Amino acid sequence: MSSKRGQRDRATPAGSEPALSYAASGVDIDAADSTVSRYAELAARTRRAEVLADIGPFAGLIRLPAGFREPVLVASTDSVGTKLLVAQAMGRYESVGRDLVNHCVNDVLTQGAEPLFVLDYIATADLPQQHRVELVAGVAAACEENGAALLGGETADLPGIYLPGAFDLVGTAVGVVEREAVIDGSRVGQGDVLIGLPSSGLQTNGYSLVRRLWGIGEDPHRDRALLGEHDPALGCSLGEALLAVHGSFLEALRPLLGRPQGPLHGIAHITGGGIPGNLSRILPAGLQAQVDPASWRVPALFERIRRDGELPPGEMWRVFNMGVGLVLAVDAQEVEAVLGGMEGGWRLGRVVERAEGAGAVAFAREAAGG
């Protein structure tokens, strides 16, 4: 974990501060150094046997795990997006660190890979040092939960680029899978059954629309009242529902990974673009995913967004996951075995031949011509 650094004028007497200094320009090297030492303590909790160097060098070192004949590295980079602004409005930072890791882990998981390590990047103008540590504490906690090493990262102080108080959080996850066990959608075929796994909420997508809907970020006092009020339908406050951590699906799928010609033919992580935009990414040409929206109950949070925003159904399904976090395309002969070893999964739909002119994803009513 490193920080953007400058060098104080060596001619400046010890104990005095020049009229023009890096700290006065918005970059406090001493504070950053102290924070980085706290990052290192957090990263140490995530160390895997393959890690070859502690935090400190200019780059992290890690060897591939033993036992692979033809290992393939799988990488994904993403951010938490404007969910950060909801976290900031509530003064809660650790959960979005968890969001970051789990989102990236789920992305490498779609190729059948288990995470090996994570790198994080925080960019800001003047985010307090304690909040930076809270962000990385969330990153480290999720790394521990997923068995990934927090191998390093960067904290960049960028006054003039970021507005006061603004920050961004980005991460990269790298996983590994045996080449013959890669899940790339090429085995998805007609007759496959689609299994859904539930999301924990909005995950990390749709927050720009949500913030505009409720005016989050416009008035701190109003934000606190709006986000802190208990909603009986949600069973918690609106803020808690919006900050529900984007869950990792690694543990649920781990027993099915690493199996050449196994039951998983394709995995779609339902992020930006909703079910239509993401499920289509794992379908070979000529196939259609038929989804039955009556197979699950859309969570109350999405209903409140729809009602308060007076949003048409098409916009809801295009923007949000609607309660579906992951979709699996599974060999029809092994569906019961897969569902039996997995908590919370359900039959979401099926894969059929795609009619000429039809979309890659259709909902049951559309498929029936309704």
Side-chain angles (χ1 to χ4, degrees):
M1 210 66 70
S2 60
S3 291
K4 294 291 184 191
R5 297 172 186 266
Q7 190 170 26
R8 184 176 297 173
D9 186 343
R10 293 184 185 278
T12 302
S16 67
E17 191 68 32
L20 179 63
S21 69
Y22 213 9
S25 301
V27 182
D28 189 332
I29 298 172
D30 293 334
D33 285 343
S34 176
T35 299
V36 169
S37 68
R38 298 173 70 183
Y39 291 166
E41 294 172 5
L42 293 167
R45 297 182 352 212
T46 73
R47 188 182 178 106
R48 292 174 55 117
E50 295 86 1
V51 174
L52 302 178
D54 292 320
I55 298 298
F58 291 97
L61 297 171
I62 190 168
R63 62 179 173 79
L64 287 173
F68 285 89
R69 295 183 301 280
E70 196 173 3
V72 174
L73 294 179
V74 182
S76 177
T77 295
D78 220 309
S79 74
V80 181
T82 58
K83 186 174 184 178
L84 295 176
L85 296 175
V86 179
Q88 193 170 33
M90 294 189 67
R92 290 170 52 180
Y93 295 85
E94 185 172 352
S95 65
V96 287
R98 291 174 180 265
D99 287 325
L100 178 69
V101 173
N102 290 341
H103 186 140
C104 291
V105 165
N106 289 339
D107 280 350
V108 301
L109 178 61
T110 64
Q111 305 293 304
E114 295 199 36
L116 185 58
F117 65 86
V118 169
L119 301 169
D120 68 339
Y121 173 75
I122 302 170
T124 183
D126 59 357
L127 185 68
Q129 301 295 326
Q130 180 55 36
H131 293 334
R132 304 177 191 207
V133 173
E134 290 168 7
L135 289 172
V136 177
V139 169
C143 282
E144 280 190 277
E145 292 162 2
N146 286 287
L150 178 53
L151 196 60
E154 171 72 352
T155 298
D157 287 285
L158 303 173
I161 293 181
Y162 285 85
L163 295 172
F167 69 100
D168 198 7
L169 178 64
V170 180
T172 296
V174 174
V176 61
V177 59
E178 194 73 69
R179 183 171 182 176
E180 62 181 1
V182 168
I183 301 170
D184 59 7
S186 61
R187 294 175 58 220
V188 175
Q190 185 176 351
D192 280 357
V193 174
L194 300 175
I195 290 177
L197 289 174
S199 70
S200 53
L202 270 62
Q203 300 195 142
T204 47
N205 295 98
Y207 285 88
S208 292
L209 189 157
V210 162
R211 287 186 308 103
R212 184 168 183 178
L213 162 62
W214 286 307
I216 298 171
E218 296 175 3
D219 181 340
H221 298 292
R222 182 178 175 279
D223 286 348
R224 282 193 289 272
L226 171 73
L227 297 173
E229 182 181 357
H230 182 79
D231 183 330
L234 301 179
C236 60
S237 70
L238 176 61
E240 289 170 325
L242 291 175
L243 282 190
V245 172
H246 187 154
S248 167
F249 295 98
L250 175 61
E251 199 58 37
L253 266 59
R254 182 172 270 134
L256 302 172
L257 302 178
R259 295 165 57 178
Q261 304 302 309
L264 293 185
H265 294 172
I267 305 173
H269 186 198
I270 309 304
T271 54
I275 294 174
N278 290 285
L279 189 49
S280 59
R281 296 165 69 178
I282 67 168
L283 294 174
L287 296 178
Q288 181 186 66
Q290 290 189 350
V291 175
D292 181 5
S295 66
W296 79 98
R297 183 176 180 180
V298 175
L301 176 60
F302 299 97
E303 175 54 28
R304 177 168 174 181
I305 292 170
R306 185 204 62 75
R307 184 186 68 243
D308 289 4
E310 299 181 346
L311 296 170
E315 185 71 357
M316 290 295 299
W317 287 95
R318 190 168 71 94
V319 174
F320 301 106
N321 66 63
M322 303 300 282
V324 182
L326 206 71
V327 177
L328 314 176
V330 177
D331 186 324
Q333 303 302 314
E334 302 197 57
V335 171
E336 296 307 322
V338 170
L339 285 172
M342 179 182 298
E343 185 177 351
W346 75 94
R347 288 175 178 255
L348 179 88
R350 57 182 182 149
V351 177
V352 300
E353 184 179 357
R354 183 174 174 178
E356 186 176 352
V361 177
F363 292 91
R365 231 177 256 173
E366 297 172 2

